[in-house]
Amino acid sequence: MGPATSQDLVLRAPQTQDAAAIHQLIAECPPLDLNSVYVYLLLCQHFRHTCVLAERAGHVDGFISAYFLPDQPEVLFVWQVAVHQRARGQRLGQTMLEHLKQRLDGCALRFLETTVSPDNLASRGLFNAMARRWQAPLQEQEFFQSTLFGRQAHDAEPLLRIGPLGAA
Ligand SMILES: CC(C)(COP(=O)(O)OP(=O)(O)OC[C@H]1O[C@@H](n2cnc3c(N)ncnc32)[C@H](O)[C@@H]1OP(=O)(O)O)[C@@H](O)C(=O)NCCC(=O)NCCS
């Protein structure tokens, strides 16, 4: 499937040539954990069909990394969602998630999962908005407790699950 364009916004699958710019975007989007460039290269190489890059005027304004759970192909796990400060509050987060869901039409996708720390209101707002938009239930359960992060101080990461996704 080719890139989807709306005005000057281009939404597309990322390529390995985008990995360094994605790394830079994530570095500028706290509280996201910054992974190595190598991790973003792997995402662009092996998981590009379930990732989204948002570009405007040659700048990377947004990125989503996601993958299907290896043993549950109906569950899409959304790893990181980032929208650059200059592009926030314009529904880009929602637009990227909608683009991804439409791109995966025809796959067995029934549930979207993600983890969100308790005090990340923007992220919670985004996934609440998607559950409303897709008219699907949203449930929260314990997932990665803070102790699992070892000596690194890190908030717990409860799991949010949206679905089952219907035709709505
Ligand atoms: C979370 C993030 C991706 C949202 O991107 P965005 O494009 O500004 O979000 P949208 O404009 O699509 O808004 C989605 C919904 O979330 C809500 N929202 C956005 N920012 C919010 C905030 N700071 N506080 C509360 N709600 C917020 C919006 O009101 C909207 O809901 P609505 O349609 O009911 O009004 C962006 O703030 C970001 O990159 N934050 C830093 C990284 C991060 O925390 N990522 C999330 C980890 S998964």
Side-chain angles (χ1 to χ4, degrees):
M1 175 174 165
T5 310
S6 156
Q7 291 169 339
D8 57 348
L9 177 70
V10 176
L11 298 174
R12 61 173 173 84
Q15 302 176 329
T16 49
Q17 289 83 350
D18 300 310
I22 292 168
H23 180 265
Q24 182 63 34
L25 172 72
I26 303 296
E28 293 172 12
C29 287
L32 291 181
D33 288 335
L34 180 62
N35 299 297
S36 65
V37 177
Y38 191 84
V39 167
Y40 296 105
L41 278 168
L42 286 180
L43 287 167
C44 294
Q45 179 69 34
H46 294 151
F47 299 94
R48 58 188 307 269
H49 299 299
T50 46
C51 294
V52 180
L53 188 87
E55 257 182 340
R56 225 185 300 244
H59 296 289
V60 174
D61 273 0
F63 176 68
I64 293 179
S65 52
Y67 56 84
F68 284 110
L69 296 191
D71 54 353
Q72 292 177 66
E74 74 281 12
V75 180
L76 181 75
F77 183 79
V78 175
W79 183 359
Q80 292 191 307
V81 183
V83 170
H84 194 278
Q85 195 79 49
R86 67 179 162 252
R88 288 191 192 161
Q90 301 165 28
R91 305 251 154 93
L92 181 55
Q94 289 187 58
T95 303
M96 289 193 297
L97 282 168
E98 183 65 45
H99 167 83
L100 185 55
K101 180 169 173 284
Q102 287 182 17
R103 192 201 292 165
L104 298 174
D105 241 23
C107 300
L109 177 62
R110 289 202 76 219
F111 294 93
L112 185 149
E113 292 187 348
T114 193
T115 70
V116 176
S117 60
D119 56 358
N120 192 334
L121 299 182
S123 183
R124 284 176 176 272
L126 173 61
F127 287 102
N128 275 315
M130 296 321 290
R132 283 197 305 273
R133 182 178 182 136
W134 293 334
Q135 297 174 30
L138 184 152
Q139 289 176 332
E140 179 165 350
Q141 65 188 70
E142 209 176 270
F143 192 55
F144 293 144
Q145 301 91 332
S146 57
T147 49
L148 293 175
F149 291 89
R151 280 185 289 180
Q152 184 191 1
H154 199 296
D155 284 335
E157 292 273 353
L159 187 78
L160 298 187
R161 180 176 168 96
I162 298 175
L165 301 171

